[in-house]
Amino acid sequence: MLPGLLALNVALWGGVLLYALVVTPRRSKSWSPNARRANLAGIAAAALMAAAASALSYQHSQQVQVRQKAQEYYHAGIDNVQRGDLTAAAEDFEKARALQPGHPQASEQLQKIQQQKTADRREVRREATVDPNLPPPASVPAPATAGANAPAPTNAPAPEPVKGTPGEKAKPAPHKPSPFEIIHYALDVDLDPAAHTLDATATVRVRSRGERIPVLDFSLNKEFKPASADVDGARAAFSHKNDLFQVTPTRPLEKNREATVTVHYKRSGPDPIVEGGDLISTEGTYLRSEARWYPATGELDFRAPVSVHIRVPKGYTAVSVGALKGVEKDEKTVRYHWETPKFASMVSLAAAKYVSQSVKVPPPAGVTRPELKVTCYTFPEHRKRAPEFLKEAAAMVRFYEERYGAYPYEKLAVTEIPLFPGGYGTTSFVMLIDKSFEEARLDREFLSHEIAHQWWGNSVFPQGLGAAWLTEAFANYSAWMYSAARAGNPRVLTKRVQKATADYLRAAARKGDQPIAETDPYQPVGASTQIVYEKGAVVLHMLRHTVGDRAFAKTLRAFADDFRFGKATIPDFRRIAERESGHDLGWFFDQWLGRTGGMSLEYSFETLPDSPKQNKAVLRIKQTGAAPYRAKLSVVLDVENSIRKHEIELTQAEQEFTFFVRGKLTTVLIDPDNVYLMKPPRWVVPDPKPVTAGD
Ligand SMILES: [Zn+2]
C-alpha cells in the first residue's frame, strides 16, 4: 500500500471521529436545528470520503499484491532463462504479463525468447550471425540453405507434402517434384497487423505433370486454416493436417490438364509470431515463402508468374513480388497490387508503417533493360539511413548487371523488418532486420549477398541435392567480389577466402561435415551453413583460379543467361564451366563438391649441393588425405632473403619438386595467396623434423 494513501486514509477517518465524538458534543448545544443538520451532513460527507479513501486504499493494496505477484513470475522467468529452460521462462513471463498487462520487462524477455527460438530453428544462419566478423547469413530464398536471405533453414524450403500420410507431419521429399506444377499464382490478402490476422484467397492455376491426380497435395502452415476449396469453380473436399493441405476435386485432374484451385483461408491471432518465426504485427509484418503462408508445392518446385493484392490498414505499406500495379484507397484501408509476369520462385510479403525513398538505377554499359528503381522502405526512425542503403544497393545492382546480365525483375525493394535474425532475399526484394539500419556502418557484404540472390536463387532456380550451393555460395562469392571491387583491393577477397576456410574447417570439425553435392536443402546436416556458404564460396574462388578470371567470368554470365527463370543443377553449372573454359572439370567438381574437407599436406625441404655455382632445393609434399587433390599451387621460396615465386602442380599423394638456388633455402610458403582450402600453417621453416600442416 502506498504510504501516502494510507496516511490520507488514517487522517480522514481520524478527522471524522475527532469531529463527531469530541468537537460536536461540546459545541453543538448552542446550535440551531439547521446548524445541527448541516453538522451531521458534514460528518456524513467526511465519513463517505474516508470510506472512499479506504476503498481506494484497499484496491491499491490489491493492485500492489498483483504487481508483486507479476514481479515474482518475472523473476522466476529470469531464473528459468538462466537455467536454460526457455519454455518454462516463457510461461512465467506470460503469467507476469497476464497479471500486469504490458509488463515491459516481461514483454521484452518474451520477445527475446521468441527471437532465440526463431534463431534456434535457423541455427545455421544464426551461427553465422554470431560471428561479429561475418555478416548475418543471408536467408536463403528458395533452396535452402537458410532462413538469412537470413540467412537458411533455415533456409530449408517448405517441406513438400508426402502422399498417404494424413495426419502426419509432412515429411520432406525435396527432390521429387510434385505431380503437378503451379503455372500461375494469385493471392488476395487482407492483413490486420493489430489483430495479427490474415484472411486470404489463393487462386492457383495448376497443370498435371503426366499422371492422373485424384488428390492435390499442397504444403500450408497449420496456423493458416482453409475455410473452403474449389477446383474449377466446383466445391472440393479438403483436409488440413499439420502442414499437409489436401484438396480432392470431384473428378481427378487428368494428366497434362490444367485446373484452377481456389482456396480461402485465414490465420487468427492472438500470437503475432507465426509458427516458424514470421511475424504479423503493428511494428512490422513479414511472411517469407518458407513460412508456408500460402498453399504451394515445395519451394524448390515453385516457378510461376505471381499477382498479389494486399489490403492493409491506412498508414501501412505492403510490399510483395514484382511491379506495383496499383494502390486503391478507401477510408480505412489501402490495397496494394504487386505483380510479375515473369517466373518468381516464391511469394513473400513485408508490411509496416513505412517511409519509402527511391533512386533510379541507370543500366551499366552494354546492358539493356527497362527503367529500374530501387526503393528503400524503412521505419520512420530510420528514414535518414535510406539514402546510404539506396546508393549502395544501386551500385551493387550495377556491379552484378555488368557480370550476370540485366536485373531480372521489375523493381528492387529493400524493406526493413523487426525481430528477424538476419536478412532475406526474396523475388524482387530483400528484407533486412531493423538492426541493420541502426548499425553505424552499412554491412556491405550482408546487403550485397541478399541482392545477389536476385540472380542466384531467385531467377536461376536451383534444383536437386547441392541446390543451396548454387544460391548461397554464389551469393556469397558475388558479395565478396563486390567488397573487393568496392575497396579497390584484391586482398579483401583473399582475406575473406582465408577467413571462410578457417570458419569452415573449425565448424566442420565441431559439428560434422558433408560433401556439398550431397547437401539437402530440406535437411541441413552438421555445419551445413559453413559447408554451403563458406566452403562453397571458396570452391568458386578455386574454380576461378583453376580456369582463369576470364573463363570464370564467362561461366557465371553464361550460367545466368542460359538458366534465367529456369531450373538449374550442379551438373548444369559444370557443363557451362567446361564449355566456357574448354577443359574437362569433372575432377574439380568431384574433389571439391563430392568430398568432405579440404587439402591436407605435410611438407619438408632441404638444400643439397648441386654444383659449385648452385644448390638444389628439394621440396617434398605429401597429401595425407584419403585421395590426393589436383591443384596448381604457387610456392614462395626464401633463399637467404631472396624471394622467388614458383608454380607447382599437385596430382599425387607424394611429390618432390626441385628448384635450383644460390644459397640455402630457409623458408617455404605454400599457396601464398590462400587460394586453396587447406589447413594452415603454410609457412615452413627448416627443421630436422618435417612440419605438419593439416592432419
Ligand atoms: Zn543467402
Side-chain angles (χ1 to χ4, degrees):
M1 198 189 295
L2 256 186
L5 205 54
L6 179 66
L8 177 68
N9 194 29
V10 169
L12 279 171
W13 273 120
V16 171
L17 288 173
L18 185 73
Y19 195 79
L21 299 177
V22 181
V23 179
T24 304
R26 283 193 194 167
R27 299 176 56 184
S28 61
K29 284 171 194 154
S30 58
W31 289 355
S32 67
N34 276 348
R36 278 200 201 103
R37 271 198 293 277
N39 187 46
L40 278 175
I43 292 173
L48 268 175
M49 278 174 64
S54 290
L56 263 176
S57 168
Y58 175 76
Q59 191 193 3
H60 187 81
S61 79
Q62 291 292 93
Q63 281 174 355
V64 168
Q65 280 175 21
V66 167
R67 253 183 241 167
Q68 276 171 346
K69 195 72 202 159
Q71 222 33 35
E72 279 169 27
Y73 278 122
Y74 171 72
H75 288 297
I78 295 290
D79 287 347
N80 276 320
V81 167
Q82 283 164 356
R83 271 198 290 277
D85 188 344
L86 294 188
T87 305
E91 280 172 17
D92 291 331
F93 295 133
E94 288 288 5
K95 285 178 192 158
R97 272 213 311 195
L99 287 170
Q100 188 187 334
H103 191 296
Q105 296 107 322
S107 302
E108 194 182 311
Q109 290 296 333
L110 272 172
Q111 193 178 13
K112 277 189 193 162
I113 289 176
Q114 193 55 52
Q115 281 174 337
Q116 180 68 41
K117 287 186 171 174
T118 305
D120 285 349
R121 284 189 204 107
R122 311 181 174 109
E123 193 195 352
V124 187
R125 283 184 198 174
R126 194 172 66 78
E127 284 225 343
T129 58
V130 164
D131 183 337
N133 298 315
L134 251 193
S139 65
V140 183
T145 337
N149 115 155
T154 110
N155 262 336
E160 290 188 21
V162 171
K163 278 194 194 167
T165 54
E168 297 293 310
K169 176 89 177 166
K171 297 266 187 332
H175 310 298
K176 182 177 168 290
S178 162
F180 61 91
E181 65 181 327
I182 291 171
I183 55 177
H184 187 269
Y185 210 103
L187 263 179
D188 200 337
V189 179
D190 267 19
L191 191 68
D192 186 342
H196 319 298
T197 60
L198 173 151
D199 189 325
T201 301
T203 307
V204 193
R205 188 78 181 154
V206 301
R207 184 195 291 132
S208 156
R209 275 185 165 132
E211 61 182 273
R212 190 167 188 261
I213 309 170
V215 180
L216 301 162
D217 286 357
F218 296 90
S219 62
L220 179 65
N221 188 316
K222 64 175 185 248
E223 291 183 6
F224 293 75
K225 303 217 186 297
S228 68
D230 289 73
V231 177
D232 288 336
R235 206 28 70 97
F238 66 87
S239 71
H240 188 215
K241 301 213 169 115
N242 291 323
D243 292 350
L244 177 62
F245 172 51
Q246 297 185 300
V247 177
T248 309
T250 47
R251 277 177 311 180
L253 180 61
E254 298 298 334
K255 65 180 188 178
N256 301 320
R257 297 299 288 270
E258 295 181 7
T260 298
V261 182
T262 309
V263 183
H264 180 209
Y265 65 101
K266 291 179 180 187
R267 196 267 176 180
S268 328
D271 191 350
I273 302 200
V274 175
E275 192 218 5
D278 291 42
L279 185 70
I280 302 178
S281 82
T282 50
E283 293 80 43
T285 293
Y286 61 90
L287 293 163
R288 301 159 304 139
S289 58
E290 290 157 55
R292 286 158 285 125
W293 65 283
Y294 53 93
T297 52
E299 278 176 48
L300 287 183
D301 213 20
F302 190 91
R303 196 170 65 109
V306 170
S307 168
V308 187
H309 285 86
I310 311 153
R311 189 185 297 282
V312 286
K314 210 172 157 184
Y316 287 80
T317 305
V319 181
S320 191
V321 184
L324 182 59
K325 292 292 192 184
V327 182
E328 297 164 36
K329 293 180 185 177
D330 62 23
E331 261 177 42
K332 290 184 172 169
T333 66
V334 192
R335 189 167 181 248
Y336 290 84
H337 177 200
W338 294 92
E339 186 172 310
T340 182
K342 304 175 181 190
F343 283 147
S345 57
M346 51 195 136
V347 187
S348 301
L349 183 165
K353 290 170 187 162
Y354 285 132
V355 175
S356 75
Q357 296 166 68
S358 302
V359 292
K360 281 184 199 165
V361 187
V367 173
T368 311
R369 58 151 164 78
E371 182 181 285
L372 175 69
K373 267 205 269 185
V374 187
T375 303
C376 196
Y377 295 86
T378 61
F379 301 155
E381 62 267 31
H382 295 141
R383 73 207 313 162
K384 286 192 180 150
R385 295 301 305 276
E388 189 187 349
F389 277 74
L390 287 170
K391 191 175 166 207
E392 199 75 41
M396 289 164 183
V397 167
R398 285 168 57 84
F399 179 83
Y400 294 145
E401 286 190 312
E402 285 168 0
R403 282 153 186 83
Y404 313 145
Y407 181 82
Y409 294 101
E410 296 87 347
K411 63 124 187 333
L412 173 64
V414 178
T415 59
E416 179 172 5
I417 57 172
L419 195 64
F420 190 66
Y424 187 75
T426 184
T427 305
S428 82
F429 69 111
V430 304
M431 302 181 189
L432 300 181
I433 185 173
D434 46 6
K435 282 202 184 70
S436 308
F437 295 89
E438 279 158 19
E439 286 159 1
R441 280 182 53 189
L442 185 154
D443 188 337
R444 202 176 279 155
E445 185 178 318
F446 186 29
L447 181 61
S448 54
H449 175 109
E450 302 308 336
I451 291 177
H453 276 311
Q454 298 305 328
W455 285 265
W456 311 124
N458 295 3
S459 55
V460 174
F461 305 129
Q463 301 291 305
L465 288 175
W469 182 65
L470 298 170
T471 52
E472 295 312 331
F474 280 54
N476 240 11
Y477 196 65
S478 298
W480 298 357
M481 289 197 292
Y482 176 77
S483 294
R486 184 77 164 62
N489 180 2
R491 289 290 298 164
V492 168
L493 178 59
T494 309
K495 285 192 139 180
R496 190 62 186 80
V497 167
Q498 204 176 347
K499 174 170 169 20
T501 296
D503 288 348
Y504 156 70
L505 289 172
R506 199 170 47 231
R510 202 174 72 236
K511 296 162 62 178
D513 205 350
Q514 190 181 27
I516 288 173
E518 290 172 22
T519 54
D520 182 341
Y522 291 84
Q523 289 175 324
V525 166
S528 58
T529 300
Q530 289 81 7
I531 294 168
V532 170
Y533 287 73
E534 305 299 318
K535 178 182 180 178
V538 177
V539 169
L540 285 172
H541 188 65
M542 293 189 289
L543 178 65
R544 178 180 177 178
H545 180 81
T546 302
V547 300
D549 285 352
R550 206 174 128 77
F552 180 70
K554 281 168 67 190
T555 297
L556 290 180
R557 177 59 187 257
F559 188 49
D561 284 347
D562 290 8
F563 290 90
R564 186 164 294 121
F565 306 119
K567 297 180 173 184
T569 60
I570 291 178
D572 290 328
F573 179 68
R574 176 186 148 187
R575 269 192 296 281
I576 290 195
E578 291 181 332
R579 185 183 80 200
E580 299 301 326
S581 69
H583 295 296
D584 168 58
L585 293 167
W587 61 272
F588 180 91
F589 282 78
D590 288 348
Q591 75 183 21
W592 289 116
L593 301 182
R595 292 169 59 176
T596 56
M599 294 167 67
S600 134
L601 309 179
E602 281 178 2
Y603 32 98
S604 62
F605 59 86
E606 60 184 329
T607 309
L608 303 169
D610 180 60
S611 70
K613 287 196 170 173
Q614 64 181 14
N615 293 328
K616 253 193 338 193
V618 180
L619 170 65
R620 296 187 188 88
I621 299 185
K622 186 176 166 190
Q623 298 203 45
T624 58
Y629 281 79
R630 260 177 79 173
K632 277 185 191 162
L633 286 178
S634 299
V635 293
V636 170
L637 306 185
D638 181 352
V639 181
E640 291 172 12
N641 297 325
S642 148
I643 303 287
R644 207 172 283 166
K645 198 171 180 178
H646 299 268
E647 301 298 319
I648 61 171
E649 184 159 9
L650 296 184
T651 52
Q652 294 158 36
E654 289 186 49
Q655 283 172 272
E656 197 173 281
F657 302 92
T658 301
F659 310 92
F660 293 98
V661 296
R662 290 176 187 212
K664 188 168 162 45
L665 179 59
T666 52
T667 310
V668 174
L669 175 56
I670 306 276
D671 188 27
D673 298 319
N674 294 297
V675 173
Y676 284 91
L677 200 153
M678 68 170 81
K679 283 191 180 179
R682 301 174 187 234
W683 281 99
V684 190
V685 291
D687 187 295
K689 278 193 305 181
V691 175
T692 300
D695 53 12

